[in-house]
Amino acid sequence: MAAGHRPVWIDEAREGGGRIYQRPPQSLRRDARMLYGFEARKAEGVHATFERLAPVVDWRPETLVWHIRPQARRLSTQHQGRTQATVDYDAAILCTGAMDRVVPVPGWTLPGVTTMGAAQIALKTQGCSIGARVAFVGTGPLLYLVAYQYAKAGVTVAAVVDTTPFATKFAAAPGLLRGGATFVKGIYYIGWLRAHGVRVVEGATPVAINGTTDVQGLRWRGSDGREDLVACDAVGMGWGLKPEAQLADLAGVPFRFEPLQHSWIPECDTSGRTPVEGHYLAGDGAAIGGADVAELAGARAALALLQDAGQSVDAVRVAALDRALAGQQRFRIALERAFPYPAALAASVADETLLCRCEGLTAGELRAAAREDHDVGPAPEMNRAKAFTRVGMGRCQGRVCGPAAAEVLAASLGRDVASIGRLRGQSPVKPMPMLVPEATP
């Protein structure tokens, strides 16, 4: 906008802010300090900026981009699930965010089990908890942040069960120190939970979520090999995040397997430029980095877009953004080493465990498909396995089951997970209502 353009800003949310600085509805507005904690001042600044921008850009809130046609430079959108429109563009910056990675365990489909992100959204947007006595299981900074937020809100946190051993995190400590205030806040959250009597377990292996029609408890095996159980009526689970990159996939952006994040990510350079001309990536939709990185990367991608359009940009600002992003990347490397995705845990999911909940597929059925000699051979990669078993063919298109399914298939074939590929993106990228045109008289 400062360069003389009036950009189209399309947001799935009702108001700007992303997930970290997400705002609740007007009727549920709460004190910013209570809602955002240490990030209250930053959140208020972000919200104020969005409020200034909304009237002077083509702002389209509560709008889902469900398809992209890169050759035609056209987006297909749906507003509030009721009306559809196409948006033509000269260039696009895709800021599609991230979602939780889940490792299926017996009982993970019970009512009362949510991802870590969903548990946080419920607290932020509706001011409610997923249960009265909640256990959290997984790994990563979000595990401790959400548990802290729940406890601060007055919810009983039954336990925080981290699958990463303390020794792994300790080994990454020198790199984590690069995070400065972010690292200190993380230490504070863990210390606060322990000081307030919340049980924190490290190096655990989840066994099952107990219950028949609802959650009754969380079972795990400790590092000493002994099983333990905590009573609870809800469970939040998550093993880090992965990019929401379906739109990048449909735009024709190539992907590569990133070993440290143990995830497929769309290719782009440090400026956000992709190999597809006119298409840029920023934030967690490119690679997991967090809110601060998203802000820096968004600014850097905007400058790259302007430069490619033939406009002059501030070289000093470009250099400053590049330095800041490089520093954040060093901290991110340390975080990934401190909280690695538990690939072995996902690969060893029990045969009877439901793996793809949309299609009712168990881990054992996927393993069988890997071994069977079909007319065209066994299932040597993810999309062939999808054709044989329907894994990832449901409402989520493998966004939930895909990472764990890949580990199960790779282990069954005795191959590295990167060699079996990934589930390709399909349109529409998310479930959407089917709009039926009104009958003409």
Side-chain angles (χ1 to χ4, degrees), residues 356-369:
C356 174
R357 64 191 303 169
C358 295
E359 297 296 331
L361 179 79
T362 65
E365 289 171 322
L366 181 59
R367 291 187 178 105

Side-chain angles (χ1 to χ4, degrees), residues 6-68:
R6 187 171 185 264
V8 181
W9 166 18
I10 304 173
D11 200 325
E12 283 187 58
R14 183 182 294 109
E15 298 176 281
R19 290 303 185 205
I20 298 299
Y21 307 118
Q22 189 162 7
R23 304 175 81 171
Q26 286 286 351
S27 59
L28 292 174
R29 287 289 157 89
R30 292 183 290 155
D31 177 74
R33 185 72 183 176
M34 288 294 296
L35 192 59
Y36 305 107
F38 294 118
E39 303 297 322
R41 182 175 296 179
K42 178 67 174 293
E44 289 176 326
V46 168
H47 298 158
T49 299
F50 284 138
E51 287 169 2
R52 288 195 303 269
L53 287 174
V56 294
V57 301
D58 185 354
W59 181 45
R60 306 188 187 191
E62 297 181 274
T63 301
L64 168 69
V65 177
W66 58 269
H67 189 38
I68 183 170

Side-chain angles (χ1 to χ4, degrees), residues 24-371:
Q26 286 286 351
S27 59
L28 292 174
R29 287 289 157 89
R30 292 183 290 155
D31 177 74
R33 185 72 183 176
M34 288 294 296
L35 192 59
Y36 305 107
F38 294 118
E39 303 297 322
R41 182 175 296 179
K42 178 67 174 293
E44 289 176 326
V46 168
H47 298 158
T49 299
F50 284 138
E51 287 169 2
R52 288 195 303 269
L53 287 174
V56 294
V57 301
D58 185 354
W59 181 45
R60 306 188 187 191
E62 297 181 274
T63 301
L64 168 69
V65 177
W66 58 269
H67 189 38
I68 183 170
R69 298 172 177 83
Q71 290 79 22
R73 301 288 176 99
R74 179 168 295 165
L75 304 172
S76 298
T77 71
Q78 189 173 78
H79 175 59
Q80 295 182 334
R82 293 194 292 270
T83 58
Q84 295 199 31
T86 58
V87 179
D88 294 328
Y89 62 91
D90 299 310
I93 302 176
L94 303 179
C95 313
T96 47
M99 68 174 291
D100 299 86
R101 285 194 289 189
V102 173
V103 175
V105 299
W108 75 289
T109 58
L110 284 169
V113 182
T114 75
T115 63
M116 212 74 68
Q120 188 181 51
I121 290 169
L123 193 66
K124 283 185 176 182
T125 63
Q126 300 300 324
C128 66
S129 166
I130 60 173
R133 182 177 171 83
V134 184
F136 294 97
V137 59
T139 198
L142 193 59
L143 172 69
Y144 295 99
L145 172 60
V146 177
Y148 167 80
Q149 290 172 333
Y150 264 64
K152 284 284 285 185
V155 180
T156 299
V157 176
V160 178
V161 181
D162 190 344
T163 58
T164 302
F166 173 78
T168 301
K169 289 174 275 194
F170 183 78
L176 292 174
L177 290 172
R178 296 178 182 273
T182 302
F183 175 61
V184 171
K185 282 185 284 188
I187 295 296
Y188 174 83
Y189 297 144
I190 298 172
W192 189 96
L193 289 166
R194 292 184 184 276
H196 287 78
V198 175
R199 187 176 182 188
V200 177
V201 181
E202 297 174 282
T205 301
V207 173
I209 298 169
N210 286 6
T212 51
T213 58
D214 55 7
V215 174
Q216 297 177 358
L218 173 67
R219 281 193 293 134
W220 70 87
R221 186 168 53 254
S223 56
D224 58 3
R226 292 185 295 182
E227 273 198 20
D228 210 335
L229 168 70
V230 65
C232 58
D233 63 358
V235 174
M237 62 192 307
W239 282 264
L241 302 170
K242 68 181 188 68
E244 281 274 60
Q246 293 92 335
L247 283 178
D249 201 358
L250 293 176
V253 177
F255 279 61
R256 65 180 177 85
F257 188 79
E258 211 296 307
L260 192 60
Q261 292 194 359
H262 205 81
S263 180
W264 289 93
I265 63 173
E267 291 185 10
C268 67
D269 63 18
T270 55
S271 71
R273 293 181 177 92
T274 74
V276 181
E277 184 181 356
H279 295 77
Y280 306 79
L281 301 176
D284 286 343
I288 304 305
D292 291 341
V293 171
E295 185 176 348
L296 295 168
R300 185 65 184 89
L303 292 174
L305 186 158
L306 292 172
Q307 191 173 35
D308 293 346
Q311 294 188 233
S312 61
V313 297
D314 184 347
V316 174
R317 188 182 181 199
V318 167
L321 287 169
D322 286 342
R323 285 194 300 272
L325 285 167
Q328 289 283 354
Q329 177 61 16
R330 288 191 289 270
F331 176 55
R332 172 51 54 177
I333 290 171
L335 274 178
E336 296 296 341
R337 289 174 176 163
F339 299 101
Y341 178 70
L345 181 62
S348 62
V349 171
D351 277 348
E352 64 275 12
T353 303
L354 199 62
L355 179 64
C356 174
R357 64 191 303 169
C358 295
E359 297 296 331
L361 179 79
T362 65
E365 289 171 322
L366 181 59
R367 291 187 178 105
R371 295 190 297 267

